[in-house]
């Protein structure tokens, strides 16, 4: 079974802090994604990566950056956390770009106070 | 642009009732269509998919048919169980939309015993 793990299930940070969210997948997938999930808005794509050291902006990249130094690991960085970044963050990976199933991690619920 | 619209929730049903969750889409080209399910405290997991018009996806008693003429992919189940309580997401993927998967807002289902 594909496994996607995220470093934390719950995280509380203060405004202005730098926040790192880590995601690791064990199926040698080339494609990895970061979404945020908010009630009534569904999933919105923040960033994605189709290869090591490669990244592309999604629909809402402002205030975020990413890092993909190894194929299995995709990190989301909040350079200076703000209260409007309080959300559920979901990482996903897929073998085929946009064509097949996405495998999701359990999510990180981030609260910025 | 491409989009997915699904019925607002929450939907509350009694056990053994018939379930329909409506989903319609807007897309150029020939997208693949998906239903994902999110159980409490977990990430999303694929429930079923269809890759071309008139295909029927099915899994765990759930079904959905890809209707190109009505641009719809409604989710149905003949007899729901308490364990089906979850949030259901309709999604669109494939070559259209630059290989990104587009998710609907989600529909929460509560099933009462």
């Amino acid at each position: 079974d594909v496994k996607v793990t995220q470093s934390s299930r719950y995280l509380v940070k203060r405004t202005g802090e730098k926040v790192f969210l880590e995601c690791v997948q064990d199926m040698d997938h080339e494609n990895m994604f970061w979404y945020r999930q908010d009630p009534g808005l569904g999933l919105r794509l923040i960033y994605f990566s189709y290869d090591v050291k490669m990244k592309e902006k999604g629909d809402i990249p402002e205030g975020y950056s990413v890092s993909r130094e190894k194929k299995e690991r995709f990190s989301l960085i909040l350079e200076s956390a703000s209260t409007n970044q309080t959300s559920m963050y979901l990482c996903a990976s897929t073998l085929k770009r946009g064509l097949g199933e996405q495998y999701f991690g359990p999510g990180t619920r981030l609260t910025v106070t | 642009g491409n989009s997915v619209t699904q019925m607002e929730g929450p939907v509350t049903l009694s056990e053994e009732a018939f379930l329909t969750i409506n989903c319609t889409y807007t897309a150029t080209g020939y997208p693949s269509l998906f239903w994902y399910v999110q159980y409490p405290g977990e990430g999303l997991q694929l429930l079923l998919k269809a890759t071309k018009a008139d295909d029927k996806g099915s899994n765990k008693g759930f079904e959905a048919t890809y209707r190109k003429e009505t641009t719809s992919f409604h989710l149905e189940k003949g007899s729901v169980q308490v364990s089906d309580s979850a949030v259901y997401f309709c999604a669109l993927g494939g070559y259209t939309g630059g290989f990104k998967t587009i998710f609907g807002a989600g529909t929460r289902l509560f099933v009462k015993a």
Side-chain angles (χ1 to χ4, degrees):
Chain A
D1 276 355
V2 175
K3 191 155 188 179
V4 180
T5 56
Q6 296 184 228
S7 50
S8 304
R9 295 297 299 270
Y10 300 94
L11 211 51
V12 180
K13 295 293 182 181
R14 294 191 181 275
T15 301
E17 279 193 83
K18 191 168 187 176
V19 181
F20 293 86
L21 303 182
E22 302 281 332
C23 175
V24 177
Q25 51 93 4
D26 67 356
M27 276 301 290
D28 206 34
H29 286 172
E30 291 188 350
N31 313 293
M32 297 187 74
F33 307 82
W34 275 106
Y35 297 92
R36 64 177 282 176
Q37 180 181 10
D38 299 289
L41 297 177
L43 274 69
R44 293 180 291 168
L45 183 63
I46 304 171
Y47 267 97
F48 57 104
S49 169
Y50 291 142
D51 203 350
V52 175
K53 295 192 185 296
M54 178 273 178
K55 59 187 177 185
E56 287 195 30
K57 293 179 180 179
D59 300 316
I60 52 164
E62 296 78 19
Y64 304 94
S65 63
V66 291
S67 172
R68 186 123 181 246
E69 295 296 319
K70 294 185 177 182
K71 191 174 187 179
E72 67 272 18
R73 188 179 298 270
F74 191 36
S75 303
L76 180 70
I77 304 155
L78 287 65
E79 297 289 344
S80 177
S82 64
T83 56
N84 63 11
Q85 293 178 309
T86 292
S87 187
M88 171 70 86
Y89 290 88
L90 292 168
C91 175
S93 72
T94 183
L95 185 61
K96 295 183 179 181
R97 276 171 59 170
L99 297 178
E101 175 181 0
Q102 293 203 3
Y103 294 85
F104 283 84
T108 295
R109 184 165 294 283
L110 173 67
T111 302
V112 182
T113 62
Chain B
N2 300 328
S3 65
V4 174
T5 302
Q6 58 182 109
M7 62 188 287
E8 289 188 25
V11 174
T12 302
L13 296 173
S14 297
E15 210 166 21
E16 299 184 3
F18 185 87
L19 169 71
T20 300
I21 301 178
N22 291 335
C23 172
T24 57
Y25 67 90
T26 302
T28 54
Y30 304 95
S32 297
L33 299 173
F34 307 87
W35 277 102
Y36 285 83
V37 60
Q38 184 180 33
Y39 298 105
E42 298 182 14
L44 280 69
Q45 56 185 273
L46 181 69
L47 181 59
L48 53 84
K49 67 179 180 182
T51 57
K52 61 183 187 298
D54 300 325
D55 267 3
K56 177 186 281 189
S58 62
N59 186 24
K60 299 181 181 179
F62 290 89
E63 293 183 339
T65 301
Y66 187 159
R67 302 283 188 201
K68 190 167 173 59
E69 64 276 14
T70 54
T71 62
S72 65
F73 192 54
H74 304 321
L75 182 68
E76 297 181 336
K77 187 176 185 183
S79 176
V80 293
Q81 306 300 312
V82 172
S83 57
D84 294 326
S85 298
V87 181
Y88 293 82
F89 292 89
C90 186
L92 176 158
Y95 294 108
T96 184
F99 294 97
K100 291 187 287 186
T101 299
I102 297 169
F103 291 86
T107 302
R108 184 175 294 276
L109 170 67
F110 292 105
V111 181
K112 303 180 296 184

